[in-house]
Amino acid sequence: KKNKYTLTIHNGEVLKIINFDFTKQTELTNLIKTSELKPGVNIFTVFDQSNKPILERLFFKYDGLKNSNSNLATVVKQEDSLIATISYKDISISNESNLSVSILPAQTKAYDHHHNIISSTYLQPYINGEVENAKYYFTDINNQKKYDLNNLLITQGWSSYNWFNIFNNPPKTNFVFEKGIYFKATANKTETNNFIMYPLRYNNSSVFNVDTNKKTFEQRHLYPINDETLNIAELNKKGKIKSPKLYLQFYPSIIPTISTTSNLKNLRHKHQKPNILNNPFLESNLDNTQMLDEVIIEASKREARLEELRRTSWGRIDLWDTKKRQRTPNLAAYFSKWFNVRSGQYGDMIISTFRGGSVNFFLNDIRLSDLGQLTTLPLSTVDYVEINKEGLGEGILSGFTVVRIYTDPNIIFSENGYEGITFQSFKLPLTFSDDKQFYKPIYSSYNSNFYKHYGVIDWLPINSLNQNKELVIKFKSVGVKRINLYIEGVTDDGTFISEVKTINIE
């Protein structure tokens, strides 16, 4: 009776404390309002006066958990493709959303996950062990499923939190959290201490006004792609750019290697399986190697780059040069060779195919909602244009005409003979890679039981709701009459979407 106890209620982010004892009675009843709890798992832990946890109970609060299901689903055939429109009327208009859609035959046995996006986020991180068929508790939620989850958490016992480690071994920050690439520049010699960093695909240009008593400046959160280089220029006293003399340090600069070698010193016997020893693929052939003569490859720089672009493109590549930039009056005249170009009612530019189909434009991989930006785009910065009339490899835009325009602000300097003079170029030791397209397997038969049970129609990992709160996806028809759409995603207001939509193809 004389001992003091503490009840803590937390969810990994917010912690509340209630002190109590048994001085007056040996049984206490205390009502806790669910409005004071957070949506998801709430952990109730009783500590004794030595801060030793002696009791624990998990409770899940469904109220406040945002989950939306679709209202309508329509399918329209378009040549060899299908366009599915799924409506979510109960979602508030959201600026950002991301949905992943797996498209499989309705008879599939391949999609048998225990978790969905809600259970993976709100349940699994808080418990020890695995929950069988965890998505059951968050699909078509009703009172029975709430009751079942409550019983599960009663039998679950302790949470995933190890209180001994929390009190005795607080976590240490062994490594600084990395967000993009960071560089620190040191000026060996400078005239004005004013520098300009040229833009990257996913980073805007930056201006650095360095104090006169300092020689260093830095930039964080850079996201260079593939073989992009970092270009920095200095502004002289007349306001013109010149090549600086800088020394740059990058972090991170390498990907650390992980040693997979086991320490076998204490083993008495070392055994190897005979089938491994006799495997010809593991035998060393170093003794049979021979030195090849030096091979010298000479190629046009322009042709080599054009060939490189063609290997990674689904469409036609038009690599611009100085002459094309000079003789092209504007982009309207340029695209008139490929499409029907006309002026709208308000003087805006309208571009469509000669058959009246729509043309989707991207500028540096950013989709353009209108073509006003193209009318003011300096032609001196156009690097190349990719024209994909069939929309191959474009995911949701497959079957539609897609035009991608890529610019490079450094072209104007390199083509006027200033390359290596007006800016200093640095090769980054680490860069990020472009998103890769999902490769859809090709099957010998789309009517076999194997395909119906284990085949894949498509996977669209990045999708968003339009202004009408609709998810519109397009995929190739393979003749399957009943299709399942496995939709998992979240909107920027925290609303989860997790459902299986079955559509019938007439």
Side-chain angles (χ1 to χ4, degrees):
K1 292 184 178 182
K2 62 182 179 179
N3 292 339
K4 304 292 183 180
Y5 297 92
T6 302
L7 171 66
T8 64
I9 308 171
H10 79 102
N11 66 341
E13 180 182 3
V14 178
L15 184 141
K16 297 181 180 181
I17 296 176
I18 301 175
N19 296 315
F20 66 97
D21 58 56
F22 296 96
T23 302
K24 297 181 180 180
Q25 52 189 346
T26 57
E27 182 176 310
L28 298 177
T29 300
N30 191 358
L31 298 180
I32 299 173
K33 296 181 180 179
T34 55
S35 60
E36 298 178 358
L37 303 179
K38 295 292 183 180
V41 170
N42 293 266
I43 304 173
F44 294 76
T45 309
V46 176
F47 295 88
D48 63 15
Q49 56 191 4
S50 301
N51 282 337
K52 178 182 177 181
I54 56 178
L55 295 169
E56 193 161 86
R57 163 80 157 90
L58 307 184
F59 175 79
F60 194 93
K61 178 183 175 182
Y62 277 92
D63 295 339
L65 181 66
K66 299 179 181 179
N67 182 24
S68 177
N69 292 315
S70 58
N71 305 97
L72 301 172
T74 60
V75 181
V76 178
K77 290 185 178 181
Q78 187 182 78
E79 297 179 353
D80 63 344
S81 300
L82 299 172
I83 300 177
T85 303
I86 300 100
S87 177
Y88 293 90
K89 296 301 182 184
D90 57 341
I91 291 183
S92 60
I93 297 179
S94 176
N95 294 326
E96 297 290 341
S97 59
N98 188 38
L99 304 175
S100 172
V101 184
S102 300
I103 308 171
L104 306 173
Q107 297 175 249
T108 184
K109 297 180 180 179
Y111 201 100
D112 190 24
H113 301 292
H114 284 281
H115 284 277
N116 59 16
I117 190 172
I118 306 177
S119 62
S120 297
T121 304
Y122 276 94
L123 181 63
Q124 183 58 47
Y126 297 90
I127 62 177
N128 280 317
E130 294 291 333
V131 178
E132 185 176 354
N133 197 21
K135 61 185 178 182
Y136 159 80
Y137 305 102
F138 304 99
T139 304
D140 299 327
I141 300 172
N142 53 35
N143 289 333
Q144 179 63 45
K145 294 187 177 183
K146 293 179 181 180
Y147 177 79
D148 292 342
L149 179 57
N150 193 50
N151 284 338
L152 169 70
L153 295 180
I154 290 176
T155 59
Q156 174 64 29
W158 293 88
S159 70
S160 61
Y161 287 84
N162 188 316
W163 290 106
F164 179 83
N165 290 336
I166 291 175
F167 290 136
N168 297 280
N169 301 301
K172 297 179 181 180
T173 304
N174 296 322
F175 302 97
V176 179
F177 182 76
E178 298 172 4
K179 189 175 181 181
I181 304 296
Y182 155 76
F183 77 81
K184 181 178 181 181
T186 303
N188 297 323
K189 186 178 180 181
T190 176
E191 181 180 343
T192 63
N193 273 11
N194 295 326
F195 302 92
I196 298 176
M197 183 193 77
Y198 287 92
L200 301 172
R201 186 190 299 183
Y202 295 113
N203 290 97
N204 296 326
S205 58
S206 299
V207 178
F208 305 94
N209 299 313
V210 186
D211 294 340
T212 54
N213 58 343
K214 292 184 178 180
K215 293 185 178 181
T216 63
F217 60 93
E218 60 186 42
Q219 180 73 2
R220 299 178 182 271
H221 305 165
L222 296 177
Y223 299 95
I225 299 296
N226 298 334
D227 56 351
E228 276 190 307
T229 58
L230 183 66
N231 301 323
I232 301 177
E234 181 182 359
L235 284 173
N236 62 19
K237 294 181 179 180
K238 296 182 180 180
K240 295 184 178 181
I241 58 176
K242 70 171 189 176
S243 179
K245 295 182 179 180
L246 300 174
Y247 169 71
L248 261 64
Q249 295 173 288
F250 295 92
Y251 179 83
S253 58
I254 61 172
I255 298 177
T257 56
I258 299 176
S259 176
T260 58
T261 304
S262 302
N263 186 2
L264 303 177
K265 292 181 179 179
N266 298 326
L267 295 179
R268 277 188 175 183
H269 305 284
K270 298 180 182 179
H271 298 283
Q272 286 181 309
K273 295 182 179 180
N275 60 338
I276 295 180
L277 293 174
N278 298 328
N279 191 334
F281 294 102
L282 299 180
E283 293 178 359
S284 175
N285 292 312
L286 294 178
D287 296 333
N288 298 326
T289 59
Q290 59 179 336
M291 181 69 68
L292 296 177
D293 294 334
E294 181 182 4
V295 178
I296 300 176
I297 301 177
E298 296 181 358
S300 167
K301 184 177 180 180
R302 172 183 167 79
E303 294 299 324
R305 182 160 185 261
L306 183 59
E307 182 62 28
E308 180 182 359
L309 293 173
R310 286 172 175 169
R311 285 200 302 267
T312 58
S313 170
W314 291 92
R316 176 190 177 98
I317 296 294
D318 188 12
L319 183 61
W320 285 39
D321 54 17
T322 305
K323 294 181 179 179
K324 176 166 289 189
R325 296 185 186 93
Q326 292 175 348
R327 66 171 179 258
T328 303
N330 49 57
L331 287 177
Y334 170 75
F335 284 119
S336 63
K337 299 184 300 181
W338 315 94
F339 307 108
N340 180 21
V341 181
R342 63 188 187 279
S343 296
Q345 182 179 358
Y346 302 100
D348 52 329
M349 183 167 54
I350 300 176
I351 300 179
S352 61
T353 64
F354 290 114
R355 294 184 178 181
S358 62
V359 181
N360 301 274
F361 280 86
F362 288 77
L363 179 60
N364 295 327
D365 291 325
I366 298 176
R367 190 172 182 177
L368 301 179
S369 57
D370 62 78
L371 304 184
Q373 192 172 349
L374 297 183
T375 59
T376 59
L377 181 68
L379 300 186
S380 57
T381 63
V382 176
D383 186 14
Y384 67 93
V385 178
E386 177 184 344
I387 300 176
N388 189 348
K389 290 190 174 183
E390 304 298 330
L392 298 175
E394 294 291 347
I396 190 174
L397 295 177
S398 178
F400 297 91
T401 300
V402 177
V403 176
R404 295 181 178 270
I405 305 171
Y406 293 93
T407 63
D408 184 355
N410 300 321
I411 290 177
I412 186 173
F413 304 117
S414 61
E415 290 191 345
N416 286 296
Y418 296 111
E419 185 175 10
I421 299 177
T422 57
F423 60 85
Q424 189 175 0
S425 183
F426 300 91
K427 183 178 180 180
L428 293 99
L430 287 180
T431 60
F432 296 89
S433 299
D434 280 321
D435 292 337
K436 301 297 187 295
Q437 293 288 336
F438 171 68
Y439 174 76
K440 291 176 289 187
I442 299 175
Y443 302 87
S444 59
S445 173
Y446 293 90
N447 297 317
S448 64
N449 287 331
F450 174 82
Y451 179 76
K452 293 176 182 178
H453 294 163
Y454 302 102
V456 177
I457 297 176
D458 207 342
W459 175 49
L460 306 176
I462 301 177
N463 307 276
S464 58
L465 301 177
N466 59 23
Q467 293 299 318
N468 297 324
K469 308 177 188 178
E470 296 173 335
L471 170 65
V472 182
I473 58 174
K474 183 178 181 180
F475 52 95
K476 188 175 181 180
S477 174
V478 294
V480 178
K481 299 301 181 182
R482 295 183 72 248
I483 294 174
N484 277 358
L485 304 179
Y486 297 87
I487 306 172
E488 303 277 351
V490 65
T491 65
D492 60 356
D493 67 348
T495 301
F496 285 93
I497 298 175
S498 178
E499 63 175 341
V500 181
K501 205 74 177 177
T502 301
I503 57 177
N504 296 310
I505 312 300
E506 297 180 357

